[in-house]
C-alpha cells in the first residue's frame, strides 16, 4: 500500500493534575480549556470527566508528520496547564486519584452515559490512545479489521501505562481495560464479511433503540463512524512521544503488510476470538515483560521474540512508508520497559529513598509529568 493512501491520525486522552498535590484537578477553571482552544482550536476537546482533555491530530501521510503535530498539541496543552498551576500526564490511570471525587463533563452525550450505565461509567477514570489509518475502500477496511485483530494484544502489551488504581498496585500492566470492559460493545470486534454486514449490525442496534450511531461501538478496533479510517483503540496512552511513534509505525506497517498479502491473494489466518482474547488478557496482565501465545506454533513465546519476528515481517513495508526508524523504537520499549514497568521502578526507588507510600506515588506522578514532553 502506498504511503499516500494509508494516512495516520492520532488521538490521545490526558489527565490534568495539580502541581502541588499531584492529585487530579476535579474541576479545572474554565479558562484552561479556553486557552487550549485559543492555541490549537478544535483539536482539543473535553472528555467524559472534567479532569481529562483529549487532543487529535489531522490526517498525515506518515508517522513523523503525525507525531510532529502531536508534539505541538502536547506542548500547547502543557503550556496552558502551567498558567493555572496544573500539569498534564499521558497515563491511562492516575496512580492514586479516586473516581468518586471526580465530576463528569456536562454534555448531552456524557450525561447520557452517566445516567444510563451507572457505576460502569462513573468509574471511567481512564485514558486511551486511538490511531486512525485511512483506508478508503469500505470492504477492505473490514477485511483489514478482521486480520489486524490478531496483533492487537501485541500493541496493547507495548503500550501499558495503568498499573496503579486508587493507590494500589493492581499487579496488572493495563488496569484500564478492566475498567473499560465493564461497558457494553467493547473488546474484540465481530468477524464480518463485508461493510454491508457491518452497517446492518449498526442499524440493527440503532433501530432497536440501543445506540444512537456507530460511535457507541467501542471495539478494540473499528471502522470509524466519522471518517474512512480503521481506528485501533486497544492501546493505553503512552507517556513518551517516541513510544507513540513506535506504535503508530507498527500499526501503519502492519496494515500495509496485510494489504500486500491481500494483493497476492493471501491473508493472515483468522483465529477464534477466544484465542485472541487469551493473548489480550496476557498482555493486559504482564505487558511486554511476559509471554504471548504464538498461535501458529501453539506455544508460549517470550514477547521480545515475537516483536523481533514482527519487525522482520513488516520491515519492507515500514521502509516504503518512511517509518523504519520509528518502528525500530519497539526495541527501545522492550529494553526500557513500558510505562507500567517504569512507574513501578519509580515507586520502588522512592520507597528505597525513604518516602512513604503516599510520597512514592506522588513521585510516580512527577515521573509521568517529566515524560510528557520528553524525547
Amino acid at each position: 500500500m502506498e504511503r499516500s493512501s494509508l494516512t495516520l491520525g492520532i488521538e490521545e486522552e490526558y489527565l490534568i493534575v495539580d502541581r502541588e498535590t499531584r492529585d487530579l484537578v476535579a474541576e479545572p477553571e474554565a479558562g484552561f480549556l479556553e486557552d487550549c482552544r485559543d492555541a490549537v482550536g478544535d483539536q482539543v476537546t473535553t472528555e467524559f470527566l472534567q479532569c481529562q482533555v483529549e487532543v487529535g491530530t489531522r490526517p498525515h501521510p506518515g508517522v513523523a508528520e503525525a507525531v510532529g503535530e502531536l508534539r505541538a498539541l502536547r506542548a500547547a496543552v502543557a503550556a496552558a496547564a502551567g498558567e493555572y498551576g496544573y500539569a498534564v500526564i499521558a497515563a491511562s490511570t492516575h496512580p492514586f486519584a479516586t473516581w468518586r471525587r471526580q465530576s463528569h463533563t456536562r454534555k448531552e452525550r456524557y450525561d447520557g452515559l452517566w445516567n444510563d450505565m451507572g457505576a460502569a461509567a462513573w468509574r471511567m477514570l481512564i485514558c486511551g490512545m486511538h490511531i486512525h489509518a485511512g483506508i478508503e475502500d469500505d470492504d477492505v477496511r473490514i477485511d483489514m479489521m478482521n486480520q489486524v485483530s490478531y496483533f492487537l494484544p501485541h500493541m496493547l502489551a507495548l503500550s501499558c501505562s495503568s498499573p496503579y488504581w486508587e493507590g494500589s498496585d493492581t499487579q496488572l500492566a493495563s488496569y484500564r481495560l478492566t475498567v473499560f470492559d465493564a461497558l457494553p460493545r467493547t473488546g474484540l470486534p465481530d468477524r464480518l464479511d463485508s461493510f454491508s454486514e457491518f452497517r446492518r449490525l449498526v442499524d440493527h442496534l440503532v433501530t432497536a433503540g440501543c445506540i444512537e450511531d456507530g460511535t457507541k461501538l467501542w471495539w478494540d478496533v473499528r471502522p470509524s463512524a466519522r471518517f474512512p479510517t480503521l481506528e485501533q483503540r486497544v492501546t493505553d496512552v503512552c507517556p513518551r512521544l517516541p513510544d507513540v511513534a513506535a506504535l503508530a509505525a507498527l500499526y501503519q506497517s502492519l496494515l500495509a503488510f496485510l494489504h500486500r498479502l491481500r494483493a497476492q491473494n493471501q491473508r493472515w489466518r483468522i483465529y477464534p476470538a477466544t484465542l485472541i482474547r487469551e493473548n489480550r488478557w496476557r498482555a493486559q496482565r504482564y505487558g511486554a515483560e511476559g509471554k504471548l501465545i504464538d498461535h501458529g506454533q501453539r506455544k508460549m513465546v517470550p514477547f521480545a521474540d515475537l516483536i523481533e519476528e514482527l519487525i522482520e515481517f513488516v520491515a519492507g513495508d515500514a521502509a516504503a512508508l518512511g517509518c523504519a526508524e520509528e518502528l525500530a523504537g519497539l526495541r527501545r520499549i522492550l529494553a526500557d520497559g513500558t510505562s507500567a514497568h517504569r512507574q513501578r521502578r519509580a515507586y520502588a526507588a522512592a520507597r528505597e529513598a525513604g518516602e512513604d507510600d503516599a510520597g512514592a506515588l506522588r513521585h510516580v506522578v512527577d515521573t509521568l509529568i517529566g515524560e510528557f514532553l520528553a524525547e
Side-chain angles (χ1 to χ4, degrees), residues 303-315:
F303 185 68
D305 293 350
L306 292 175
I307 291 303
E308 282 298 333
E309 183 180 51
L310 197 50
I311 290 173
E312 288 183 20
F313 281 156
V314 303

Side-chain angles (χ1 to χ4, degrees), residues 105-183:
T105 302
R106 301 317 299 265
K107 196 174 180 179
E108 184 177 355
R109 176 181 176 86
Y110 298 143
D111 287 345
L113 285 174
W114 189 266
N115 295 323
D116 293 345
M117 296 193 177
W122 301 346
R123 64 191 192 106
M124 285 276 288
L125 187 54
I126 56 174
C127 295
M129 174 178 69
H130 306 161
I131 305 174
H132 290 257
I135 301 175
E136 293 290 337
D137 187 284
D138 291 340
D139 287 331
V140 172
R141 207 177 310 135
I142 296 298
D143 186 31
M144 293 296 102
M145 180 182 76
N146 291 336
Q147 294 188 62
V148 83
S149 292
Y150 180 93
F151 302 100
L152 294 176
H154 304 69
M155 295 195 65
L156 171 62
L158 290 159
S159 71
C160 294
S161 69
S162 49
Y164 293 102
W165 181 252
E166 298 195 336
S168 296
D169 189 330
T170 66
Q171 299 301 308
L172 274 67
S174 176
Y175 188 74
R176 162 183 153 265
L177 285 185
T178 302
V179 178
F180 194 65
D181 286 349
L183 298 183

Side-chain angles (χ1 to χ4, degrees), residues 328-355:
L330 297 178
R331 296 189 178 101
R332 185 196 59 255
I333 296 176
L334 295 174
D336 294 351
T338 63
S339 174
H341 186 70
R342 297 194 308 276
Q343 287 181 51
R344 288 181 173 129
R345 277 203 315 246
Y347 176 88
R351 290 307 301 265
E352 288 175 8
E355 292 280 1

Side-chain angles (χ1 to χ4, degrees), residues 17-23 85-91 93-96 164 239-240 339 342-343 346-347 350 355 358-374:
V17 301
D18 184 282
R19 274 278 184 184
E20 278 192 34
T21 66
R22 280 75 153 189
D23 202 348
Y86 307 154
V88 190
I89 62 174
T93 56
H94 187 279
F96 62 85
Y164 293 102
R240 302 191 307 194
S339 174
R342 297 194 308 276
Q343 287 181 51
Y347 176 88
E355 292 280 1
L361 289 169
R362 286 194 296 271
H363 179 65
V364 174
V365 176
D366 287 337
T367 301
L368 292 168
I369 292 171
E371 290 186 336
F372 188 68
L373 294 176

Side-chain angles (χ1 to χ4, degrees), residues 25-241:
V25 181
E27 296 181 4
E29 294 184 41
F32 163 64
L33 189 61
E34 292 171 5
D35 289 352
C36 290
R37 285 175 171 159
D38 286 344
V40 297
D42 63 358
Q43 288 180 264
V44 61
T45 61
T46 56
E47 248 301 319
F48 179 62
L49 296 175
Q50 291 187 46
C51 61
Q52 298 172 298
V53 67
E54 179 179 354
V55 302
T57 72
R58 308 295 188 199
H60 291 280
V63 174
E65 298 92 335
V67 174
E69 184 180 18
L70 189 62
R71 182 179 295 106
L73 292 172
R74 283 194 178 199
V77 172
E83 294 297 315
Y84 294 85
Y86 307 154
V88 190
I89 62 174
S92 283
T93 56
H94 187 279
F96 62 85
T98 61
W99 62 265
R100 291 174 181 83
R101 295 181 180 176
Q102 309 310 315
S103 302
H104 85 277
T105 302
R106 301 317 299 265
K107 196 174 180 179
E108 184 177 355
R109 176 181 176 86
Y110 298 143
D111 287 345
L113 285 174
W114 189 266
N115 295 323
D116 293 345
M117 296 193 177
W122 301 346
R123 64 191 192 106
M124 285 276 288
L125 187 54
I126 56 174
C127 295
M129 174 178 69
H130 306 161
I131 305 174
H132 290 257
I135 301 175
E136 293 290 337
D137 187 284
D138 291 340
D139 287 331
V140 172
R141 207 177 310 135
I142 296 298
D143 186 31
M144 293 296 102
M145 180 182 76
N146 291 336
Q147 294 188 62
V148 83
S149 292
Y150 180 93
F151 302 100
L152 294 176
H154 304 69
M155 295 195 65
L156 171 62
L158 290 159
S159 71
C160 294
S161 69
S162 49
Y164 293 102
W165 181 252
E166 298 195 336
S168 296
D169 189 330
T170 66
Q171 299 301 308
L172 274 67
S174 176
Y175 188 74
R176 162 183 153 265
L177 285 185
T178 302
V179 178
F180 194 65
D181 286 349
L183 298 183
R185 302 177 297 279
T186 57
L188 294 173
D190 293 327
R191 181 181 176 182
L192 302 169
D193 291 330
S194 66
F195 189 77
S196 296
E197 186 178 6
F198 171 72
R199 283 304 330 161
R200 286 195 297 273
L201 185 152
V202 173
D203 291 345
H204 186 115
L205 291 170
V206 170
T207 301
C210 300
I211 60 175
E212 296 83 17
D213 53 50
T215 64
K216 294 290 183 70
L217 282 182
W218 295 307
W219 291 338
D220 292 342
V221 61
R222 69 179 184 185
S224 171
R226 296 180 295 162
F227 311 112
T229 64
L230 185 63
E231 177 190 8
Q232 84 74 27
R233 304 163 49 83
V234 75
T235 45
D236 278 5
V237 63
C238 296
R240 302 191 307 194
L241 278 165

Side-chain angles (χ1 to χ4, degrees), residues 2-17:
E2 294 181 1
R3 189 172 192 262
S4 60
S5 63
L6 194 60
T7 56
L8 280 179
I10 304 172
E11 298 170 346
E12 291 187 321
E13 297 159 354
Y14 307 137
L15 294 168
I16 312 304
V17 301

